[in-house]
Amino acid sequence: MNYLLRIVGLLRCILKLGPWQTFKLRVLAPRMDRNFLIHARDLKKPILIRGKTSDVLMVDDIIVRRAYSGFVPTRPRRILDAGANIGLASVYWKQLFPETEIVAVEPDQENFEVLKRNTAHLEHVTLVNGGLWSKRCRLSVQYPDAQKYAIRVMEDENGIIQAHSVNSIMEERGWDWIDVVKLDVEGSEVEILSGADLGWINKIGTLIVEIHQDFAPDSARVLFKAFAEQNFHFSWRGENLVLTRNAAAVTCTH
């Protein structure tokens, strides 16, 4: 079965990227410590990735397997991409919805530099080199040697990373509503969803969140507590839990 799944995955990759780009992604990039440009057939510009890093997995997950496909509202006006990493979700969504405003938040400086490169050609994308938290404070990286897709932060008054909340981002951008909030923040969802001011939940249409129960065991508990009185539909899509506001509730609040 595993052998069959690998074949299916390879064929899917060839379909999305072509043979040469698949060879670069699957064979060269995991073995060579240098940058690669990956040309995906559906994207206008090539994606910059770093060899021998988790960037390879991110391309396969988001660009090839379309991890964020199918559960974003038609033509969302605003998306908050928290845990943007190297920008692949933002790039994917901008290809589908060119007029959408996106705020992409990424705490790791090395990831952020690649994020800038991958989104430089896109309009209406605001990049924030910081972390998403329940309040404005300072953060530091908890495990500096972690894979680049697994950067975890913690509150630290001497930290060099600026923390932002959903509320503060909305205030700074002048947003009264966010169509999609994506949280892939490696455990920080516990802090974000248990903060003192969760008023932003009343101002979003869809939440896409990856729950990290293995090292943040309170993730599910705080999530369900925060949304217990909210009118959202819950569904699993791969590794993501998707919470979509009931259509009638959207009409009433937006």
Side-chain angles (χ1 to χ4, degrees):
M1 179 60 73
N2 288 337
Y3 181 72
L4 179 60
L5 290 175
R6 286 197 294 269
I7 292 176
V8 171
L10 178 61
L11 292 175
R12 182 190 294 118
C13 197
I14 292 173
L15 179 64
K16 298 296 182 183
L17 304 181
W20 170 236
Q21 301 302 314
T22 296
F23 181 75
K24 286 199 294 183
L25 180 70
R26 292 292 189 92
V27 178
L28 299 182
R31 294 168 173 80
M32 301 179 69
D33 187 13
R34 68 174 183 84
N35 292 341
F36 291 85
L37 288 176
I38 302 297
H39 298 254
R41 288 172 170 171
D42 294 341
L43 301 180
K44 295 179 180 179
K45 298 287 185 178
I47 300 161
L48 177 68
I49 66 169
R50 299 158 292 186
K52 298 182 73 172
T53 71
S54 55
D55 293 359
V56 175
L57 300 176
M58 299 296 292
V59 173
D60 194 62
D61 186 44
I62 297 173
I63 303 302
V64 175
R65 295 194 293 112
R66 306 295 175 89
Y68 294 113
S69 174
F71 46 78
V72 173
T74 302
R75 298 190 181 280
R77 292 191 302 138
R78 298 164 183 156
I79 294 176
L80 173 57
D81 180 1
N85 199 263
I86 62 172
L88 300 187
S90 291
V91 168
Y92 173 72
W93 280 326
K94 285 296 288 186
Q95 182 69 14
L96 293 178
F97 314 113
E99 301 304 315
T100 298
E101 291 182 69
I102 296 179
V103 173
V105 183
E106 172 54 43
D108 181 73
Q109 187 62 47
E110 292 181 13
N111 285 347
F112 189 76
E113 293 303 317
V114 184
L115 168 65
K116 286 198 295 185
R117 164 63 176 76
N118 283 332
T119 59
H121 64 290
L122 301 174
E123 296 182 346
H124 312 303
V125 175
T126 300
L127 306 182
V128 178
N129 189 193
L132 198 68
W133 208 244
S134 62
K135 60 187 177 182
R136 291 186 65 88
C137 61
R138 307 299 292 184
L139 307 170
S140 62
V141 175
Q142 193 170 6
Y143 299 105
D145 296 329
Q147 288 276 5
K148 286 302 183 181
Y149 74 116
I151 297 297
R152 292 155 63 182
V153 296
M154 61 183 179
E155 193 167 335
D156 178 0
E157 63 181 11
N158 297 314
I160 63 172
I161 300 170
Q162 177 63 54
H164 305 263
S165 68
V166 179
N167 289 317
S168 69
I169 288 174
M170 293 183 75
E171 290 172 5
E172 290 166 6
R173 299 299 301 167
W175 287 359
D176 59 357
W177 180 267
I178 306 179
D179 297 284
V180 179
V181 175
K182 170 215 152 198
L183 297 181
D184 187 359
V185 288
E186 303 304 319
S188 294
E189 64 270 14
V190 174
E191 179 68 24
I192 295 165
L193 293 168
S194 60
D197 185 0
L198 296 177
W200 58 270
I201 291 177
N202 296 315
K203 303 171 185 177
I204 69 170
T206 297
L207 175 69
I208 304 168
V209 56
E210 183 172 340
I211 300 295
H212 299 87
Q213 283 289 110
D214 49 347
F215 54 82
D218 285 337
S219 294
R221 180 184 62 80
V222 299
L223 172 67
F224 289 112
K225 181 179 178 180
F227 282 82
E229 303 299 324
Q230 298 290 333
N231 194 1
F232 280 77
H233 172 73
F234 288 63
S235 62
W236 283 104
R237 302 288 183 90
E239 296 179 341
N240 296 295
L241 181 59
V242 182
L243 291 74
T244 305
R245 188 179 293 276
N246 179 278
V250 173
T251 301
C252 293
T253 60
H254 180 35

